[in-house]
Amino acid sequence: MSAVDYDTLIPNNVDLSSDKRLQRALEQWYPQFMDWWKTVGPEGFQDCEVYLRTAVSVERDGWARFGYVKMPEYRWGILLAPQEEGRKIAFGKHKGEPVWQEVPGEYRAMLRRLIVIQGDTEPASVEQQRFLGATAPSLYDMRNLFQVNVEEGRHLWAMVYLLQKYFGRDGREEAEALLERRSGDADKPRILGAFNEKTPDWLSFFMFTTFTDRDGKMQLESLANSGFDPLARTTRFMLTEEGHHMLVGRSGVSRIIRRSSAVMREQGLADPADIAGVRRHGVIDLPTIQKKINFHFSVTLDLFGAEISTNAANAFNAGIKGRYREPWIDDDHQLLNDSYQVVQVIDGVLRQVDVPAISAINARLLDDYISECANIVTSWNRIIADHGIDFELRLPHRGFNRRVGEFSEYAISPAGELMTHSDWARMSAQWLPSDADGDYVVSLMQPQYRAGQYARWIAPPKGGIDGKPGDFEYVRIAA
Ligand code: BYC
């Protein structure tokens, strides 16, 4: 494997200079990407020096370097995890055959579609988060936002590399279309639902990075064992960066809960349902946090596609997209005779039903995802309990508020009760954030641009970035 070449316009470890056609195609795409970044990327702060990490190697240790960078000068590179000699396809009907270095003709359309969908989410999230810099609760948080943004930009590069290298003219057209769709645009929206929602405040940002970035992790993990080796290697390296994004989300929500709980305790507010009482002190009440969990979790579940899916079965069978941690699963990795339990509505009742495992690939990934999310909520509840507050956050039932899959036709409460659509609509204001909840959260979003200062509604982090203290000047705001 070649070392990372940083002397070229596009840093890479794929020996780009030896493939002039590809190099030219990517160099032509570069100014379009920069145009996109400047038009719909982070609003403002483009001239500020931000203490960012840049991927400089694909080795496990020392893969990133930290330093002050102006975002437009960030080195968006093409980095693939090291090639494994003799790697074999780990699942599906080609199990045991050598992995593919070129796209197999029969799977071209399927691969292209998966790469385009993955690629589409990356710029979408940057667009969704573009206004948040102006209300950052601290320089530390602002820096984390921009770190997430530049790395999602790099993940777009990763998918565009695959499209341009392996899919000829179609790939070039798809690469351009990735810069033309826009999150939330009525005429040319992003492909998947959650990526057209707004991220109007930092609570939404932290919920998005907790729940939706974690779908990213699950999907990337499923592609990281792909029989198409360049996709496997690309997604493996993307996963190295993804961990920080989820940490930003999870710890961000933890810090909000810690602050709210501490204020409730200081002020002797024993009743978490006393929303007005808590809001009077300028922090976010726990019932609103619960509603935000209900929203972001349910919208993210839709990103897994239908629980029972022929597309997913075909992709598994083809050896293109596996299950979460596929090599560690103890079965034949072909699922010829296996069954899997899924929840379905049968005769008006929610039941566990055995279905052929190959048809339930999405359902299984969803289960793995839900169990990780449940652990996170447990950790949040520990903070509340430590403050002596009698309140528990919960993940809503998997059927709550769904638009895609088994439950999309049904009205199901967060507790998992089937209801009439009219009852559900009447109750939904108790379960999902209202406009007034959103307005309240937005009203708290006053920026804190002094090093070491944190907005009132969020506790400082336990530690800084790259061993730096919390009062480090993570973003040098231009005078
Ligand atoms: N919205 O068999 P089905 C991330 C379509 S996030 C709209 O149910 P399948 C990130 C589907 O396209 C991870 N349409 O599902 C996070 C299909 O249409 P066609 C992104 C939807 O195909 C934060 C039809 O319904 N990566 O990285 O098994 C920040 C039937 O499909 C939706 C990926 O998702 C929806 N929600 O699975 C930054 C991985 N769901 O083709 C980044 C790549 C389904 O019949 N994508 N449809 O016209 C995939 O693996 C799959 O496409 C999906 C859907 C999991 C998304």
Side-chain angles (χ1 to χ4, degrees):
M1 187 201 54
S2 46
V4 180
D5 179 358
Y6 264 87
D7 295 331
T8 51
L9 179 66
I10 304 162
N12 69 91
N13 71 340
V14 294
D15 201 10
L16 192 54
S17 57
S18 71
D19 185 342
K20 291 295 172 208
R21 185 201 62 78
L22 176 63
Q23 187 172 15
R24 255 195 319 275
L26 288 169
E27 284 177 1
Q28 273 172 18
W29 189 79
Y30 187 93
Q32 297 174 41
F33 169 82
M34 287 311 296
D35 252 13
W36 166 83
W37 177 267
K38 286 182 183 151
T39 322
V40 283
E43 165 96 345
F45 308 99
Q46 297 280 352
D47 292 331
C48 299
E49 296 193 314
V50 186
Y51 193 71
L52 293 176
R53 78 177 175 191
T54 304
V56 289
S57 148
V58 292
E59 304 306 326
R60 234 169 242 284
D61 297 324
W63 63 271
R65 182 179 58 204
F66 285 83
Y68 283 107
V69 181
K70 292 181 180 171
M71 284 186 280
E73 290 162 20
Y74 188 78
R75 304 302 307 275
W76 284 283
I78 296 169
L79 302 170
L80 272 61
Q83 186 162 5
E84 274 174 42
E85 279 308 316
R87 196 176 147 243
K88 301 275 194 294
I89 298 173
F91 58 91
K93 69 178 175 194
H94 301 288
K95 187 182 148 203
E97 296 173 19
V99 289
W100 304 296
Q101 298 304 332
E102 296 295 331
V103 175
E106 59 193 307
Y107 302 136
R108 193 172 193 278
M110 179 192 287
L111 264 168
R112 186 180 113 181
R113 176 178 163 274
L114 291 177
I115 293 169
V116 166
I117 294 179
Q118 179 64 50
D120 192 68
T121 62
E122 316 289 0
S125 66
V126 176
E127 292 163 8
Q128 288 172 296
Q129 295 161 15
R130 74 178 295 238
F131 297 112
L132 291 174
T135 55
S138 69
L139 294 183
Y140 163 88
D141 290 292
M142 185 191 275
R143 177 258 167 222
N144 283 343
L145 166 73
F146 293 154
Q147 182 73 63
V148 169
N149 292 162
V150 293
E151 285 177 350
E152 300 302 7
R154 205 197 69 71
H155 292 180
L156 170 62
W157 272 94
M159 292 301 117
V160 163
Y161 162 72
L162 294 176
L163 289 169
Q164 302 256 24
K165 178 163 171 79
Y166 296 99
F167 294 86
R169 178 200 284 258
D170 302 1
R172 282 195 294 282
E173 284 171 10
E174 293 285 14
E176 282 177 16
L178 284 169
L179 296 177
E180 284 161 8
R181 287 186 288 272
R182 288 283 180 275
S183 175
D185 189 295
D187 298 325
K188 36 183 182 116
R190 291 295 173 183
I191 299 171
L192 300 176
F195 293 91
N196 289 302
E197 300 286 347
K198 289 198 164 62
T199 312
D201 58 70
W202 281 76
L203 176 59
S204 305
F205 171 66
F206 292 134
M207 289 288 176
F208 181 96
T209 35
T210 299
F211 291 111
T212 309
D213 276 75
R214 189 164 297 274
D215 168 51
K217 170 188 138 173
M218 305 306 286
Q219 300 293 344
L220 292 174
E221 286 273 5
S222 308
L223 296 169
N225 294 300
S226 180
F228 179 47
D229 203 39
L231 176 61
R233 292 173 55 205
T234 309
T235 46
R236 262 185 219 174
F237 189 69
M238 289 160 76
L239 280 162
T240 313
E241 290 157 317
E242 199 61 45
H244 173 67
H245 306 187
M246 291 179 294
L247 179 78
V248 166
R250 177 186 186 151
S251 62
V253 177
S254 297
R255 288 162 55 211
I256 295 175
I257 293 173
R258 182 166 303 119
R259 168 62 80 215
S260 299
S261 303
V263 167
M264 285 173 72
R265 192 167 145 158
E266 276 159 30
Q267 302 296 332
L269 293 161
D271 179 10
D274 178 11
I275 292 170
V278 173
R279 288 186 180 180
R280 207 168 299 129
H281 298 281
V283 294
I284 303 176
D285 51 285
L286 299 175
T288 295
I289 292 174
Q290 176 65 64
K291 287 181 179 179
K292 292 294 282 181
I293 293 174
N294 292 348
F295 174 76
H296 287 270
F297 179 71
S298 59
V299 165
T300 304
L301 294 190
D302 280 344
L303 293 177
F304 288 77
E307 286 80 352
I308 308 281
S309 160
T310 316
N311 282 345
N314 291 341
F316 180 84
N317 210 20
I320 299 290
K321 186 180 172 197
R323 293 168 291 175
Y324 183 53
R325 302 179 65 80
E326 181 71 45
W328 289 272
I329 299 175
D330 185 16
D331 64 16
D332 68 358
H333 302 278
Q334 291 188 312
L335 305 177
L336 298 178
N337 302 305
D338 300 17
S339 61
Y340 191 79
Q341 282 208 327
V342 297
V343 184
Q344 289 183 324
V345 181
I346 309 272
D347 299 333
V349 182
L350 287 157
R351 288 188 206 281
Q352 297 266 5
V353 181
D354 276 330
V355 299
I358 187 99
S359 71
I361 297 288
N362 287 346
R364 177 171 181 140
L365 193 62
L366 198 67
D367 286 344
D368 290 330
Y369 171 78
I370 292 174
S371 85
E372 282 202 10
C373 292
N375 289 339
I376 293 172
V377 172
T378 302
S379 74
W380 290 342
N381 280 331
R382 228 171 278 134
I383 301 171
I384 302 174
D386 285 351
H387 287 80
I389 296 165
D390 184 16
F391 187 89
E392 264 196 16
L393 297 165
R394 295 214 168 99
L395 287 180
H397 186 270
R398 67 181 65 216
F400 172 71
N401 193 36
R402 297 293 303 279
R403 304 270 183 282
V404 174
E406 284 299 320
F407 308 106
S408 55
E409 303 295 313
Y410 297 99
I412 298 176
S413 73
E417 296 134 353
L418 272 163
M419 353 182 21
T420 64
H421 285 281
S422 57
D423 282 350
W424 194 96
R426 205 167 29 79
M427 302 286 288
S428 64
Q430 291 179 23
W431 297 330
L432 292 168
S434 63
D435 289 348
D437 295 327
D439 291 347
Y440 173 68
V441 175
V442 166
S443 77
L444 298 178
M445 301 292 122
Q446 304 300 325
Q448 279 293 355
Y449 291 163
R450 295 224 334 259
Q453 299 270 319
Y454 290 83
R456 175 173 170 74
W457 52 269
I458 189 164
K462 289 209 165 127
I465 298 291
D466 185 34
K468 300 279 184 276
D471 61 0
F472 183 72
E473 193 178 12
Y474 288 102
V475 183
R476 290 178 175 151
I477 305 270

